[in-house]
Amino acid sequence: MILYPAIDLKDGQAVRLLKGDMDSATVFNENPAAQARAFVDAGCEWLHLVDLNGAFEGEPVNAAPVEQILAACDVPAQLGGGIRDMATIERWLDKGLARVILGTVAVENPALVREAARAFPGQVAVGIDARGGLVATKGWAEETDVNATDLARSFEDAGVAAIIYTDINRDGAMQGPNVEATAALARAVEIPVIASGGVSSLDDLIALRDCGADLDGAISGRALYDGALDLRAALKALAG
């Protein structure tokens, strides 16, 4: 199971939110590229990047720090937030991103997800962010009546590389991931699933790894910044 350190970008800085609330941002590093380099130096195999401003505004906002991260690091990175048309997808992949994450458009324009997955095999993931099992979009600001599992199943034949499933109520709360819901989603589809939201300790990672659903990966942010989760120790434990 791959551990993805998260770098959430707001106004050019690396921050963490509490349950997706932009007003509750904590700045952890004013130099996101340096933060990314520290994660890579600790041994991570992937980076998970989120353009928070972009998610709300519907277009890339933190392009400069993302490009600086890509220039500073030699591991693959995936990015979500504000990626809602083919031109933006193509532009980011041309800049060296390994994978784009499509969230809002997965609900509003699923045909785009299918088109992108066909055009860029292995480089398009779907981000499914849910509260109480229902998907939220546009930086989690808008609720929908779309069931998370139903949405995941609708892309079963689309060729997407992965589904990143976030339980919004756990995100940044340091209360542990929703293992049960994540495992249930992973069992419902053949698409690889990456867990996100609430991963705050080594025990959380082990619980996800051993949940019986063969998760592809897990994302952690605040716990790595706070020191509750030691990246080197976590990577060693998952490797063993």
Side-chain angles (χ1 to χ4, degrees):
M1 190 175 78
I2 298 169
L3 176 56
Y4 294 76
I7 299 178
D8 290 359
L9 299 163
K10 179 177 184 283
D11 304 332
Q13 300 173 317
V15 308
R16 292 300 291 169
L17 306 185
L18 177 61
K19 300 181 182 180
D21 181 4
M22 286 287 271
D23 292 330
S24 68
T26 301
V27 176
F28 281 102
N29 199 320
E30 295 182 355
N31 186 336
Q35 182 62 64
R37 187 70 245 172
F39 285 149
V40 173
D41 289 345
C44 75
E45 300 174 24
W46 272 85
L47 291 168
H48 175 77
L49 313 177
V50 181
D51 182 348
L52 293 171
N53 302 101
F56 280 89
E57 297 186 27
E59 60 185 15
V61 174
N62 287 285
V66 171
E67 291 173 16
Q68 290 160 9
I69 288 169
L70 294 176
C73 300
D74 56 0
V75 303
Q78 61 185 19
L79 170 70
I83 304 173
R84 298 180 191 169
D85 57 55
M86 280 294 284
T88 304
I89 293 167
E90 191 164 359
R91 188 162 65 246
W92 273 127
L93 294 177
D94 284 346
K95 287 181 181 294
L97 271 178
R99 195 152 66 197
V100 295
I101 303 166
L102 306 181
T104 295
V105 294
V107 176
E108 297 185 350
N109 187 6
L112 175 65
V113 176
R114 294 175 175 276
E115 179 187 358
R118 285 194 302 269
F120 306 105
Q123 294 185 284
V124 176
V126 170
I128 298 181
D129 310 321
R131 286 190 187 95
L134 297 178
V135 177
T137 60
K138 297 179 180 172
W140 304 349
E142 293 195 11
E143 306 283 346
T144 74
D145 58 1
V146 178
N147 178 275
T149 302
D150 290 344
L151 182 62
R153 284 184 174 136
S154 74
F155 293 111
E156 193 74 273
D157 62 346
V160 300
I163 288 171
I164 292 96
Y165 175 70
T166 303
D167 186 307
I168 295 169
N169 286 330
R170 303 294 183 104
D171 191 70
M174 300 289 285
Q175 295 173 351
N178 191 334
V179 177
E180 184 177 340
T182 306
L185 182 77
R187 292 189 193 102
V189 295
E190 296 294 325
I191 306 166
V193 172
I194 299 168
S196 175
V199 176
S200 54
S201 68
L202 186 54
D203 286 344
D204 290 340
L205 285 174
I206 300 304
L208 287 167
R209 186 193 67 186
D210 297 343
C211 71
D214 195 23
L215 295 175
D216 191 66
I219 294 165
S220 184
R222 182 176 289 272
L224 295 173
Y225 296 101
D226 283 349
L229 181 63
D230 180 86
L231 181 55
R232 291 180 189 274
L235 292 168
K236 184 177 180 180
L238 291 177

